[in-house]
Amino acid sequence: MKEDTLIEVQGLQKVYSGKRSLFTPSKKVTAVKDVSFSIRKGETFGLIGESGSGKTTVGRMILRLIEPTNGSIIYNGQSLRDLSNKEMTSLRKEIQIVFQDSGSAFNPRKTIGAQIAHPLKKFGENQDPQFIHQQVLKMLEVVGLRADFFHRYPHELSGGQRQRAGIARALILKPKFLVLDEPVAALDVSVKAQIINLLIDLQKEFQLTYLFIAHNLDLVAYFCNRVAVLSKGEVIETSSTIDLFNNPKHEMTKKLLSSILTLEGDLGEVYKKRSVI
Ligand SMILES: Nc1ncnc2c1ncn2[C@@H]1O[C@H](COP(=O)(O)OP(=O)(O)OP(=O)(O)O)[C@@H](O)[C@H]1O
Ligand SMILES: [Mg+2]
């Protein structure tokens, strides 16, 4: 493992048993066949593929929210699959996720403040309620939400505000690595640009490394340093963003690239200004 590598996944595979109830016969689904890539410290690595290609499954295996069927995940020189639950608990602070669907990522019956505080209550060293309260308020400010959002319920937030709250919850333990599972897919174009800009600012401020999952390439040129293209559970192409855009090798990549041509509005402007190509 190179010194500047933060995370390396090798031959990752996931076969779901597909058993949904006691009475239906199980049907195996190979969601991830063979996925390998490595992410350098401080970079944004894109994992791109069509719906159902296995992106979320890969992201969740890295966090060990889903147990891999095969393969290895090396984080900072440590094999995550070999860690005991206790060792994994202390690493959980470093690796966090922003979920694909901000609507279901929050408990509808608890306030936003309580839910941002939750990781601190579970894993934090300082359990003083005053301290936790202050940390949550600070984090709300960091993601651009007013202090009064603390007492609001998830349904009282817009999609963009909920995604900001999701980012606050992911950052409260001061992680080093964030899995961003389609963090802006469900948002309007102008809100997308705001959230991506926030993520870029936070990356600088907190020296974060990102795995950015998306189903098309429209934000990738603007946001990612390198990209892996996933198709039917396999990586078909990995390259720097510049090479991917200038010289796509696979038909699937070309198809994903064509979605960029439909960019409009604010994001298109942002994209033109900040694009790395
Ligand atoms: N718990 C599960 N049991 C059985 N099959 C599953 C399960 N979760 C996902 N799958 C299947 O695994 C495949 C990959 O799913 P995954 O959610 O990883 O895809 P994705 O690339 O994130 O898609 P999307 O872009 O729609 O979010 C799909 O065929 C899906 O139906
Ligand atoms: Mg997904």
Side-chain angles (χ1 to χ4, degrees):
M1 194 156 153
K2 287 194 203 125
E3 208 178 290
D4 66 344
T5 301
L6 183 66
I7 192 154
E8 183 171 341
V9 305
Q10 277 287 352
L12 216 49
Q13 188 193 48
K14 179 66 192 180
V15 181
Y16 288 110
S17 79
K19 202 163 177 64
R20 299 237 152 85
S21 82
L22 267 177
F23 306 106
T24 49
S26 66
K27 190 175 157 289
K28 291 196 165 153
V29 179
T30 305
V32 175
K33 275 190 206 134
D34 181 13
V35 169
S36 303
F37 55 78
S38 60
I39 306 178
R40 296 176 194 137
K41 287 176 187 156
E43 84 172 334
T44 300
F45 187 87
L47 185 63
I48 314 301
E50 289 188 318
S51 184
S53 56
K55 306 177 301 290
T56 294
T57 305
V58 169
R60 290 186 174 207
M61 284 194 282
I62 290 176
L63 280 113
R64 275 189 54 189
L65 297 173
I66 296 176
E67 240 0 272
T69 308
N70 258 312
S72 65
I73 305 158
I74 312 291
Y75 175 81
N76 235 342
Q78 287 174 288
S79 168
L80 291 195
R81 292 193 66 197
D82 296 335
L83 295 183
S84 66
N85 284 345
K86 200 174 161 210
E87 289 164 325
M88 192 62 207
T89 300
S90 70
L91 256 186
R92 285 236 181 277
K93 292 183 210 161
E94 291 195 19
I95 310 176
Q96 294 287 318
I97 184 167
V98 177
F99 290 100
Q100 183 162 5
D101 174 6
S102 72
S104 60
F106 284 101
N107 181 335
R109 281 178 293 276
K110 289 190 173 161
T111 62
I112 289 294
Q115 294 188 71
I116 296 174
H118 182 73
L120 266 187
K121 286 190 178 157
K122 203 163 168 203
F123 298 113
E125 272 147 35
N126 187 343
Q127 289 296 322
D128 174 26
Q130 200 61 31
F131 170 81
I132 291 177
H133 187 80
Q134 285 308 320
Q135 292 298 305
V136 175
L137 289 180
K138 240 192 237 170
M139 207 37 83
L140 283 172
E141 197 184 338
V142 163
V143 300
L145 293 175
R146 288 192 318 270
D148 62 278
F149 278 79
F150 189 102
H151 298 291
R152 290 205 196 179
Y153 287 88
H155 73 272
E156 295 171 314
L157 272 63
S158 70
Q161 289 164 345
R162 253 197 322 263
Q163 214 45 289
R164 284 176 192 270
I167 294 167
R169 182 173 60 182
L171 287 180
I172 194 109
L173 289 169
K174 303 193 169 42
K176 297 200 168 88
F177 178 61
L178 280 195
V179 173
L180 305 166
D181 189 356
E182 309 219 31
V184 296
L187 305 175
D188 288 346
V189 176
S190 62
V191 184
K192 266 188 200 190
Q194 288 168 15
I195 299 289
I196 291 294
N197 282 325
L198 171 67
L199 288 167
I200 290 171
D201 291 344
L202 294 172
Q203 183 169 39
K204 282 189 208 132
E205 191 173 342
F206 299 110
Q207 283 103 44
L208 296 162
T209 303
Y210 290 150
L211 172 64
F212 177 66
I213 295 175
H215 60 265
N216 60 35
L217 285 155
D218 62 0
L219 290 163
V220 164
Y222 174 54
F223 193 42
C224 298
N225 306 95
R226 290 186 309 128
V227 184
V229 180
L230 199 61
S231 176
K232 301 192 179 95
E234 285 180 289
V235 174
I236 54 167
E237 189 161 355
T238 308
S239 68
S240 72
T241 309
I242 296 170
D243 287 348
L244 191 90
F245 277 74
N246 290 337
N247 185 20
K249 294 196 178 63
H250 273 264
E251 283 310 310
M252 171 63 69
T253 313
K254 287 177 195 162
K255 194 173 143 196
L256 292 167
L257 275 170
S258 67
S259 67
I260 292 174
L261 303 176
T262 62
L263 262 188
E264 288 165 16
D266 296 354
L267 192 66
E269 288 308 306
V270 167
Y271 171 79
K272 274 187 229 149
K273 268 189 249 154
R274 298 268 313 257
S275 168
V276 295
I277 49 172

